[in-house]
Amino acid sequence: YTSIKVRVETLISKLRQVFADLENIYVLYARQNTSAVQTQVQPLKDFGASPKQNLTIGEVIIEDAASAVDDLRRDMPRAVADILQNDPEGRKSIFWISGSTSVYAHIGLINELAGGVPVLAALPDVVQPGSDSAVLSIGVNQSSAVHLAALYAISVLDGSAEVGALPVGQVSPPDIAINFMKVEETGLTLPFTFFEDATFIYNRAGRTAREFGQRVPVNCFGPG
Protein backbone atom coordinates (compact mmCIF):
# COMPACT_ATOMS: atom_id res chain seq x y z
CA TYR A 1 0.00 0.00 0.00
CA THR A 2 0.98 3.64 -0.16
CA SER A 3 1.13 6.22 2.61
CA ILE A 4 0.62 9.99 2.75
CA LYS A 5 3.25 10.17 5.49
CA VAL A 6 6.26 12.45 4.93
CA ARG A 7 9.51 11.51 6.68
CA VAL A 8 9.87 13.79 9.69
CA GLU A 9 13.46 14.66 8.74
CA THR A 10 12.25 15.84 5.33
CA LEU A 11 9.43 17.84 6.89
CA ILE A 12 11.63 19.62 9.43
CA SER A 13 14.27 20.35 6.79
CA LYS A 14 11.62 22.00 4.60
CA LEU A 15 10.12 23.92 7.50
CA ARG A 16 13.51 25.30 8.50
CA GLN A 17 13.97 26.68 5.01
CA VAL A 18 11.03 28.96 5.82
CA PHE A 19 11.48 29.31 9.58
CA ALA A 20 15.23 29.31 10.15
CA ASP A 21 14.79 29.82 13.91
CA LEU A 22 11.89 27.40 14.34
CA GLU A 23 11.44 26.52 18.01
CA ASN A 24 7.76 25.68 18.57
CA ILE A 25 5.46 23.38 16.63
CA TYR A 26 1.95 23.03 18.03
CA VAL A 27 0.26 20.04 16.41
CA LEU A 28 -3.50 20.01 16.02
CA TYR A 29 -4.91 16.50 15.85
CA ALA A 30 -7.88 14.33 16.76
CA ARG A 31 -7.18 11.89 19.57
CA GLN A 32 -9.33 9.21 17.92
CA ASN A 33 -7.47 9.43 14.58
CA THR A 34 -5.01 6.64 15.31
CA SER A 35 -3.39 6.83 11.88
CA ALA A 36 -2.60 10.55 12.22
CA VAL A 37 -1.29 10.06 15.75
CA GLN A 38 1.01 7.20 14.76
CA THR A 39 2.32 8.53 11.44
CA GLN A 40 2.29 12.32 11.91
CA VAL A 41 2.12 13.31 15.58
CA GLN A 42 4.29 10.73 17.35
CA PRO A 43 7.22 11.01 14.89
CA LEU A 44 7.26 14.79 15.46
CA LYS A 45 7.21 14.32 19.24
CA ASP A 46 10.01 11.75 19.05
CA PHE A 47 12.08 14.02 16.81
CA GLY A 48 11.54 17.04 19.04
CA ALA A 49 12.59 15.04 22.10
CA SER A 50 16.21 15.16 20.89
CA PRO A 51 17.97 18.01 22.77
CA LYS A 52 20.04 18.92 19.71
CA GLN A 53 16.89 19.80 17.75
CA ASN A 54 15.87 22.68 20.06
CA LEU A 55 12.22 22.04 19.23
CA THR A 56 9.20 22.16 21.51
CA ILE A 57 6.32 20.05 20.22
CA GLY A 58 3.04 21.15 21.75
CA GLU A 59 -0.44 19.76 21.25
CA VAL A 60 -3.95 20.99 20.61
CA ILE A 61 -6.13 17.90 20.88
CA ILE A 62 -9.64 17.40 19.52
CA GLU A 63 -11.43 14.79 21.61
CA ASP A 64 -14.13 14.06 19.00
CA ALA A 65 -15.85 15.72 16.08
CA ALA A 66 -18.78 16.90 18.20
CA SER A 67 -16.52 18.78 20.62
CA ALA A 68 -14.07 20.16 18.02
CA VAL A 69 -15.20 23.81 18.16
CA ASP A 70 -15.25 23.87 21.96
CA ASP A 71 -11.86 22.12 22.15
CA LEU A 72 -10.31 24.62 19.73
CA ARG A 73 -11.81 27.65 21.48
CA ARG A 74 -10.52 26.39 24.82
CA ASP A 75 -7.03 25.19 23.86
CA MET A 76 -5.88 27.41 20.98
CA PRO A 77 -5.66 30.57 23.16
CA ARG A 78 -3.67 28.58 25.73
CA ALA A 79 -1.27 27.44 23.02
CA VAL A 80 -0.87 31.01 21.72
CA ALA A 81 -0.15 32.24 25.26
CA ASP A 82 2.51 29.53 25.69
CA ILE A 83 4.11 30.43 22.36
CA LEU A 84 4.26 34.14 23.10
CA GLN A 85 6.07 33.56 26.38
CA ASN A 86 9.32 32.68 24.57
CA ASP A 87 8.45 33.96 21.10
CA PRO A 88 6.72 37.35 21.60
CA GLU A 89 6.46 38.07 17.86
CA GLY A 90 5.37 34.55 16.93
CA ARG A 91 8.09 34.29 14.27
CA LYS A 92 9.70 31.10 15.61
CA SER A 93 6.51 29.11 15.92
CA ILE A 94 3.84 27.44 13.82
CA PHE A 95 0.57 25.62 14.22
CA TRP A 96 0.67 22.34 12.28
CA ILE A 97 -2.67 20.76 11.28
CA SER A 98 -2.48 16.99 10.99
CA GLY A 99 -4.53 14.96 8.54
CA SER A 100 -7.50 14.75 10.91
CA THR A 101 -10.75 15.71 9.20
CA SER A 102 -12.39 16.86 12.42
CA VAL A 103 -9.55 19.35 12.83
CA TYR A 104 -8.98 20.79 9.36
CA ALA A 105 -12.72 21.11 8.75
CA HIS A 106 -12.43 24.13 11.07
CA ILE A 107 -9.55 25.88 9.31
CA GLY A 108 -11.40 29.23 9.39
CA LEU A 109 -11.77 29.07 13.18
CA ILE A 110 -8.18 27.90 13.60
CA ASN A 111 -6.92 30.91 11.64
CA GLU A 112 -9.10 33.18 13.76
CA LEU A 113 -7.69 31.77 17.01
CA ALA A 114 -4.03 31.49 15.91
CA GLY A 115 -3.12 34.98 17.11
CA GLY A 116 -0.99 35.72 14.04
CA VAL A 117 1.08 32.53 14.38
CA PRO A 118 1.31 30.91 10.92
CA VAL A 119 -0.99 27.93 10.35
CA LEU A 120 0.45 25.13 8.17
CA ALA A 121 -0.94 21.73 7.26
CA ALA A 122 0.11 18.18 6.56
CA LEU A 123 -2.41 17.83 3.73
CA PRO A 124 -2.31 20.01 0.60
CA ASP A 125 -6.13 19.86 0.61
CA VAL A 126 -6.13 22.27 3.58
CA VAL A 127 -4.55 24.94 1.37
CA GLN A 128 -7.50 26.29 -0.59
CA PRO A 129 -8.54 29.36 -2.58
CA GLY A 130 -9.55 32.30 -0.41
CA SER A 131 -8.86 33.09 3.21
CA ASP A 132 -10.17 29.89 4.84
CA SER A 133 -6.89 28.16 4.17
CA ALA A 134 -3.59 27.15 5.69
CA VAL A 135 -0.74 29.33 4.49
CA LEU A 136 1.41 26.39 3.38
CA SER A 137 1.35 22.62 3.20
CA ILE A 138 4.25 20.21 2.96
CA GLY A 139 2.63 16.83 2.51
CA VAL A 140 1.15 14.39 0.06
CA ASN A 141 -1.99 14.96 -1.95
CA GLN A 142 -4.28 11.94 -2.09
CA SER A 143 -4.06 11.84 -5.89
CA SER A 144 -0.26 11.55 -5.69
CA ALA A 145 -0.58 8.54 -3.39
CA VAL A 146 -3.17 6.98 -5.71
CA HIS A 147 -0.88 7.54 -8.71
CA LEU A 148 1.94 5.73 -6.92
CA ALA A 149 -0.46 2.91 -5.99
CA ALA A 150 -1.41 2.58 -9.66
CA LEU A 151 2.26 2.23 -10.61
CA TYR A 152 2.57 -0.48 -7.97
CA ALA A 153 -0.45 -2.29 -9.42
CA ILE A 154 1.03 -2.17 -12.92
CA SER A 155 4.35 -3.58 -11.73
CA VAL A 156 2.52 -6.46 -10.03
CA LEU A 157 0.27 -7.18 -13.00
CA ASP A 158 3.13 -7.19 -15.51
CA GLY A 159 5.14 -9.52 -13.28
CA SER A 160 8.04 -7.15 -12.61
CA ALA A 161 7.37 -7.09 -8.85
CA GLU A 162 5.89 -9.32 -6.17
CA VAL A 163 3.37 -7.87 -3.75
CA GLY A 164 5.20 -9.09 -0.66
CA ALA A 165 8.48 -7.54 -1.82
CA LEU A 166 7.14 -4.01 -2.39
CA PRO A 167 7.89 -1.48 0.37
CA VAL A 168 5.18 0.82 1.69
CA GLY A 169 5.00 3.49 -1.01
CA GLN A 170 5.93 7.02 -0.03
CA VAL A 171 5.72 9.96 -2.42
CA SER A 172 8.97 11.89 -2.69
CA PRO A 173 9.55 14.77 -2.86
CA PRO A 174 6.37 15.83 -1.01
CA ASP A 175 3.71 18.02 -2.56
CA ILE A 176 3.87 21.70 -1.65
CA ALA A 177 0.78 23.91 -1.64
CA ILE A 178 0.94 27.69 -1.12
CA ASN A 179 -1.74 30.31 -0.60
CA PHE A 180 -0.06 33.68 -1.29
CA MET A 181 -3.01 35.58 0.18
CA LYS A 182 -2.14 33.95 3.53
CA VAL A 183 1.60 34.37 2.91
CA GLU A 184 1.04 38.12 2.62
CA GLU A 185 -1.18 38.20 5.71
CA THR A 186 1.40 36.42 7.86
CA GLY A 187 4.40 38.28 6.45
CA LEU A 188 6.29 35.12 5.55
CA THR A 189 9.10 34.97 3.02
CA LEU A 190 9.21 31.72 1.07
CA PRO A 191 12.29 30.41 -0.76
CA PHE A 192 11.87 30.66 -4.53
CA THR A 193 12.39 26.89 -4.73
CA PHE A 194 9.06 26.45 -2.94
CA PHE A 195 7.37 28.43 -5.71
CA GLU A 196 9.18 26.39 -8.36
CA ASP A 197 8.32 23.04 -6.77
CA ALA A 198 4.77 23.76 -5.62
CA THR A 199 2.04 21.43 -6.86
CA PHE A 200 -0.73 23.88 -5.90
CA ILE A 201 -0.51 27.68 -5.83
CA TYR A 202 -3.20 30.23 -4.99
CA ASN A 203 -2.31 33.84 -5.80
CA ARG A 204 -2.52 37.01 -3.69
CA ALA A 205 -6.19 37.33 -4.57
CA GLY A 206 -6.72 33.78 -3.27
CA ARG A 207 -7.41 32.37 -6.73
CA THR A 208 -6.01 29.18 -8.25
CA ALA A 209 -2.82 29.81 -10.24
CA ARG A 210 -1.37 26.29 -10.35
CA GLU A 211 -3.12 22.97 -9.85
CA PHE A 212 -1.53 19.50 -9.92
CA GLY A 213 1.66 21.16 -11.18
CA GLN A 214 -0.07 22.80 -14.15
CA ARG A 215 -0.54 26.53 -14.62
CA VAL A 216 -4.17 27.62 -14.47
CA PRO A 217 -5.04 30.63 -16.68
CA VAL A 218 -6.33 33.61 -14.71
CA ASN A 219 -8.95 35.97 -16.11
CA CYS A 220 -6.89 39.04 -17.01
CA PHE A 221 -9.92 41.29 -16.41
CA GLY A 222 -10.45 39.93 -12.87
CA PRO A 223 -8.58 40.58 -9.62
CA GLY A 224 -5.14 39.00 -9.01
Side-chain angles (χ1 to χ4, degrees):
Y1 64 94
T2 59
S3 172
I4 60 171
K5 174 184 175 182
V6 175
R7 292 179 67 249
V8 68
E9 294 84 1
T10 301
L11 173 62
I12 298 298
S13 174
K14 289 284 188 184
L15 288 175
R16 282 181 168 151
Q17 291 178 44
V18 182
F19 306 90
D21 300 319
L22 184 64
E23 293 182 1
N24 305 299
I25 301 176
Y26 272 73
V27 189
L28 286 74
Y29 67 94
R31 191 186 299 278
Q32 296 177 347
N33 189 330
T34 304
S35 174
V37 172
Q38 292 180 348
T39 65
Q40 298 170 27
V41 181
Q42 194 58 49
L44 267 176
K45 293 170 69 174
D46 293 343
F47 190 84
S50 171
K52 66 179 182 179
Q53 295 301 331
N54 191 32
L55 273 178
T56 297
I57 308 298
E59 300 173 310
V60 175
I61 304 172
I62 303 302
E63 296 299 335
D64 58 57
S67 69
V69 171
D70 291 338
D71 292 341
L72 289 169
R73 289 194 180 280
R74 181 190 65 237
D75 292 338
M76 285 282 291
R78 295 177 185 174
V80 171
D82 287 345
I83 287 171
L84 296 182
Q85 283 185 354
N86 61 12
D87 180 17
E89 296 182 357
R91 297 295 89 185
K92 302 177 182 179
S93 310
I94 64 170
F95 284 109
W96 181 255
I97 301 177
S98 71
S100 300
T101 307
S102 58
V103 178
Y104 65 74
H106 301 286
I107 179 61
L109 177 61
I110 292 168
N111 281 333
E112 176 187 328
L113 297 172
V117 176
V119 176
L120 286 73
L123 290 180
D125 310 67
V126 189
V127 178
Q128 294 287 332
S131 61
D132 285 347
S133 168
V135 60
L136 174 70
S137 171
I138 302 167
V140 177
N141 183 268
Q142 293 282 4
S143 61
S144 297
V146 169
H147 179 75
L148 181 58
L151 295 177
Y152 268 28
I154 291 170
S155 65
V156 170
L157 292 173
D158 69 13
S160 60
E162 295 183 6
V163 174
L166 287 168
V168 174
Q170 289 187 302
V171 176
S172 181
D175 292 314
I176 292 174
I178 307 168
N179 183 322
F180 277 100
M181 172 185 283
K182 305 301 293 184
V183 170
E184 192 169 72
E185 287 179 10
T186 54
L188 290 181
T189 300
L190 299 182
F192 189 70
T193 53
F194 273 56
F195 177 80
E196 290 181 310
D197 297 340
T199 310
F200 302 91
I201 293 177
Y202 304 98
N203 65 17
R204 293 167 61 188
R207 299 172 62 188
T208 305
R210 184 184 300 169
E211 193 172 47
F212 296 104
Q214 300 297 313
R215 182 176 179 272
V216 175
V218 177
N219 178 3
C220 62
F221 298 104

